[in-house]
């Protein structure tokens, strides 16, 4: 076949991802490609962190899910029985709010409906609108076993949650107590720390004077940002070493407006350097104060109702006041009494409910708690002894700090949607915990000696309580199922750092308690996705990146590859549309390479079961060896969760070695007369393309599957279930590799020299070779056509004697290569052009250096501006060095 003859391509000119992705995904599902259950195969299990039923896909989800899918596709191709267990969380508070807002729009409250009817409404909403995120996951190619999808409110999962509660209560690890919680006065429920958003606000420090009993005219001044809480004060704390107050420790003060006696206690919580050094103690309305109160056995006086109005524990004047109205009244009254010392402006952190948007109150209330301190001991030991590993390892420190300082976990929520607590109360308040109401009634009958009416606890459980069962509850626990026996423990959990304590630690505790084994071998903690300037994304900043928009614009493959290529352990991702566009271009490069191979007959008459070890040509031996190296690097990197290294290895091999070099180097075979060389090269090129498609598939599943299925009609299976490439190092031919590396280096250096000398692209040069060894001389003969073609040379001749005048030279290995340029370029004009460019760069370098050495500039400039200047300086200096090399070459030609 001559160079101008081509076979008609099976592939279109470009990959139409917008039409192909859904078609390919539907085909995978129809084939059952995602389903676990491969017989006689070792299991590989990942559980999907269950997204909220109310959720929609954001860029963090896209990263998290893509990393999991890469591992699942990789291990599936390696022959493992891969289970990616999907499911959704019922998201108690979020879901209840969605449905309540819908009712509110129609002028109905949940209380109008009653609990049972309201729950029916939630289920209706869930069936119609819940789970949108699953379809969005499909859009990005995620290969979960959807046939096994679970929901935390499924009957089986409800049974698991109930059993967990009952069993923990039976052994004393769940109990009811009155303690301080984060209370949302709008939603009227306790909430977790994760649902509290700390906001920096402008506020005030009000300095109040409290009279010292028995010392007329002496006051102890305290400062507070929450004056309304003073009505619940029971003490004032001072530091035990603060000399100013030594004589007051143990004495009493009179609380203004109330008249209650306050004791002065010595406690390290008081900071002598902060304010007056004296701190008002309100144990029922401040977490730190609560700890002080416990240390000194102080009374806890709750002054708020559940909707944040003042209750009957305060003077009559303030009863029923809304908390912030009470604040104004108290400040005014203290001022009128002459007890307001001063008011300072301050900026401080205030807790807000992330869903209600109102200020959260520390609130004293009866709740259910888990004694996690006991359960944490085994979970700590499991990480300490390596049964579960964190990657990157530094996250173990975070895990240890949380677990070693763990507090009782409040698991009850004052909601209707969720797992209702399996506890019933007798008429005297006695509690009966059981799996069913019948069992609870039997316990009550036995306790009272007769049948008494029992009433179920109305509260539901925190969603983290149920999702902590996820690794084994999804596999059928508490039943002894085949799935539970095969797929537990799971292999890896991929998660963000923000839920190491809320979810990871609790799964560890539950897994060890109920299964007596850790729930996963490895916890991979991935990066945070930021905008391209490195700022955290937020709707208020307007810098939120929608992954679905990127997928629509550039294709799911481009987005997936970008996320993987930028996922470096311990480093956040600076996401930009340009990076996604760049990796879309990589997909285009792959597509064009496949078309080129196809149009040159690589797939038309491919030898079945081609053995790459049979290659005889150096160029083919070389590329086979490079395949072995690249696939080994991708494999090793994925096994170590080095996603960026894995993506980088296949990217550089595909674009750099295969597309840019191999396909150019083999054109003489395609267009030559040697039929044996042509057949070998076609087979080898087809084989290499297959290995690229396999290795790239976990990252870019759609385009690789499309090429795979289009180029060879005799495929027996889809790419998704093909075998992962793994070849022995004996396929690496060191001699062929060295020869082709030399060819590539020589051609590259000649091209660089031509570009520096501004040699016209169409000009074919003579090349003289001096000092070549026998091996180099032989390689020059063997690679003559390739070197001439790619370096744009007319002839290549061995040369002895002096260096020819007016020739540009390059040195590769032991030999020097001369290319006479007389009559090709104007040397004097080139010298003038390069010097002009060098002078311009010198001016630019001077300006940037001046800024970076200017203390005033460095003090004021933002970090990103300084970084940009340093980057520009490095690039300018690099360009200058290149020009100097060019001038040196020209000087050597005179």
């Amino acid at each position: 076949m001559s160079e101008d003859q081509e076979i008609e391509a099976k592939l279109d000119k470009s990959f139409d991802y917008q039409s192909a992705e859904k078609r390919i995904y539907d085909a995978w599902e129809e084939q059952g490609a995602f389903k676990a259950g491969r017989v006689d195969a070792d299991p590989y299990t990942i559980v999907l962190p269950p997204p909220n039923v109310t959720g929609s896909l954001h860029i963090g989800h896209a990263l998290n899910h893509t990393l999991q899918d890469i591992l699942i596709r990789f291990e599936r191709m390696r022959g493992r029985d891969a289970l990616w267990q999907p499911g959704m969380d019922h998201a108690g508070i979020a879901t209840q709010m969605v449905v309540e807002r819908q009712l509110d729009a129609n002028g109905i409250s949940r209380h109008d409906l009653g609990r049972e009817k309201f729950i029916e409404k939630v289920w209706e909403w869930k069936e119609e609108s819940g789970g949108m995120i699953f379809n969005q996951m499909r859009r990005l190619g995620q290969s979960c076993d959807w046939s096994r999808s679970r929901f935390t409110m499924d009957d089986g999962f409800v049974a698991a949650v109930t059993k967990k509660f009952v069993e923990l209560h039976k052994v004393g690890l769940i109990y009811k107590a009155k303690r301080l919680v984060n209370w949302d006065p709008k939603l009227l429920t306790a909430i977790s720390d994760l649902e509290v958003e700390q906001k920096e606000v402008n506020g005030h420090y009000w300095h109040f004077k409290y009279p010292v009993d028995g010392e007329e005219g002496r006051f102890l001044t305290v400062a507070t940002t929450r004056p309304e809480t003073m009505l619940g004060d029971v003490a004032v704390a001072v530091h035990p070493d603060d000399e100013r107050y030594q004589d007051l420790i143990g004495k009493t003060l009179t609380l203004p407006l109330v008249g209650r006696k306050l004791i002065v206690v010595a406690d390290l919580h008081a900071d002598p350097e902060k304010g007056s050094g004296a701190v008002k103690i309100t144990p029922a309305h401040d977490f730190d104060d609560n700890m002080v109160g416990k240390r000194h056995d102080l009374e806890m006086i709750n002054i708020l109702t559940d909707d944040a109005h003042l209750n009957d524990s305060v003077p009559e004047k303030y009863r029923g006041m809304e908390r912030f109205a009470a604040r104004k009244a108290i400040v005014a009254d203290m001022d009128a009494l002459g007890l307001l010392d001063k008011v300072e402006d301050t900026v401080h952190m205030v807790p807000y409910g992330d869903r209600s948007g109102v200020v959260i109150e520390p609130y004293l209330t009866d709740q259910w708690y888990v004694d996690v301190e006991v359960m944490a001991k085994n979970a700590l030991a499991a990480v300490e002894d390596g049964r579960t590993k964190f990657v990157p390892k530094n996250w173990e420190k975070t895990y240890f700090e949380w677990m070693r300082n763990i507090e009782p976990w409040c698991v009850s929520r004052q909601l209707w949607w969720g797992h209702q607590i399996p506890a019933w109360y007798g008429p005297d308040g006695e509690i009966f915990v059981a799996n069913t109401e019948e069992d609870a009634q039997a316990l009550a009958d036995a306790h009272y000696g007769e049948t008494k009416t029992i009433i179920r606890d109305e509260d539901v459980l925190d969603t983290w309580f149920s999702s902590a069962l996820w690794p084994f509850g999804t596999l059928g626990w508490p039943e002894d199922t085949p799935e539970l026996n095969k797929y537990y423990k799971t292999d890896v959990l991929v998660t963000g750092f923000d839920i190491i304590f809320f979810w990871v630690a609790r799964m560890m505790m539950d897994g060890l308690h109920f299964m007596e084994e850790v729930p996963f071998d490895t916890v991979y903690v991935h990066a945070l996705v930021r905008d391209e300037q490195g700022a955290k994304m937020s709707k208020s900043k307007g810098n939120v990146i929608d992954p679905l928009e990127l997928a629509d614009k550039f294709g799911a493959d481009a987005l997936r590859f970008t996320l993987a290529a930028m996922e470096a352990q311990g480093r956040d991702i600076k996401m930009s549309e340009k990076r996604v566009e760049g990796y879309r271009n990589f997909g285009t490069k792959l597509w064009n390479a496949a078309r080129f191979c196809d149009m040159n007959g690589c797939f038309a008459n491919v030898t079945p079961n081609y053995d790459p070890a049979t290659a005889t040509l150096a160029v083919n031996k070389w590329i086979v060896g490079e395949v072995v190296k690249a696939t080994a690097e991708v494999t090793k990197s994925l096994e170590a969760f080095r996603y960026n290294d894995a993506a980088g290895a296949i990217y550089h091999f595909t674009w750099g070695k295969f597309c840019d070099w191999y396909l150019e180097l083999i054109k003489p075979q395609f267009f030559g007369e040697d039929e044996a060389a042509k057949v070998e090269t076609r087979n080898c090129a087809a084989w290499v393309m297959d290995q690229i498609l396999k290795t790239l598939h976990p990252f870019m599943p759609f385009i690789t599957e499309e090429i795979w299925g289009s180029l060879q009609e005799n495929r027996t299976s889809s790419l998704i279930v093909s075998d992962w490439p793994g070849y022995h190092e004996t396929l690496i031919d060191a001699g062929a590799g060295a020869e082709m590396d030399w060819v590539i280096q020589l051609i590259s250096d000649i091209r660089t020299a031509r570009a520096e000398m501004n040699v016209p692209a169409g000009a074919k040069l003579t090349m003289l070779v001096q000092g070549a060894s026998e091996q180099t001389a032989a390689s020059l003969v063997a690679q003559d056509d390739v070197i001439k073609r790619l370096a744009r040379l007319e002839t290549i001749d061995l040369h002895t004697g002096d260096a020819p005048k007016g020739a540009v030279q390059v040195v590769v290995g032991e030999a020097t290569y001369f290319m006479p340029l007389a009559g090709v370029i104007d040397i004097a004009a080139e010298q003038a052009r390069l010097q002009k460019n060098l002078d311009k760069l010198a001016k630019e370098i001077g300006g940037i250096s001046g800024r970076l050495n200017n203390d005033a500039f460095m003090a004021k400039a933002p970090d990103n501006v300084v970084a940009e200047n340093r980057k520009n300086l490095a690039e300018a200096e690099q360009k200058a060095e290149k020009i100097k090399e060019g001038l040196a070459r020209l000087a050597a030609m005179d």
Side-chain angles (χ1 to χ4, degrees), residues 674-690:
D674 187 335
E675 283 302 315
K678 194 178 296 184
V679 170
E680 176 187 307
T681 302
R682 284 173 173 168
N683 276 307
C684 186
W687 177 84
V688 175
M689 176 59 71
D690 275 3

Side-chain angles (χ1 to χ4, degrees), residues 189-200:
T189 181
I191 61 175
S192 73
D193 289 343
L194 195 64
E195 293 160 323
V196 177
E197 184 181 0
Q198 298 289 342
K199 293 183 181 179
E200 196 173 68

Side-chain angles (χ1 to χ4, degrees), residues 207-362:
H207 292 253
F208 293 151
K209 296 191 296 185
Y210 288 2
V212 177
D213 290 343
E215 297 188 40
E216 188 70 29
R218 186 179 181 187
F219 300 91
L220 190 52
T221 301
V222 297
T224 181
T225 58
R226 301 165 67 213
E228 66 279 9
T229 65
M230 71 167 284
L231 303 181
D233 286 357
V234 297
V236 171
V238 297
H239 194 279
D241 300 329
D242 194 331
E243 294 180 0
R244 293 171 293 178
Y245 307 123
Q246 290 296 305
D247 66 318
L248 288 180
I249 295 172
K251 294 186 178 179
T252 60
L253 316 171
T254 296
L255 179 62
L257 308 181
V258 179
R260 187 163 52 246
K261 298 302 180 183
L262 310 181
I263 188 169
V264 179
V265 298
D267 197 279
L268 296 175
H269 173 60
D271 183 354
E273 304 299 321
K274 189 174 180 181
S276 67
V279 183
K280 60 186 283 298
I281 302 300
T282 321
H285 295 285
D286 183 277
F287 288 103
D288 290 331
D289 291 5
N290 189 262
M291 298 302 292
V292 175
K294 288 178 180 176
R295 285 195 289 271
H296 298 276
D297 196 25
L298 301 174
E299 185 182 6
M300 291 191 285
I301 301 174
N302 177 27
I303 63 164
L304 292 176
T305 60
D306 60 5
D307 61 351
H309 287 64
L310 272 63
N311 65 19
D312 290 346
S313 296
V314 303
E316 189 171 352
K317 174 181 179 179
Y318 307 109
R319 291 174 188 171
M321 278 190 179
E322 190 276 330
R323 55 183 165 166
F324 297 121
R327 175 179 296 182
K328 290 180 181 178
I330 288 166
V331 170
D333 290 347
M334 289 292 283
D335 192 20
L337 291 171
L339 297 177
L340 178 60
D341 185 48
K342 62 179 178 178
V343 181
E344 279 183 302
D345 290 336
T346 187
V347 176
H348 63 127
M349 303 303 291
V350 175
Y352 283 79
D354 67 348
R355 300 190 185 281
S356 66
V358 302
V359 175
I360 296 303
E361 288 289 343

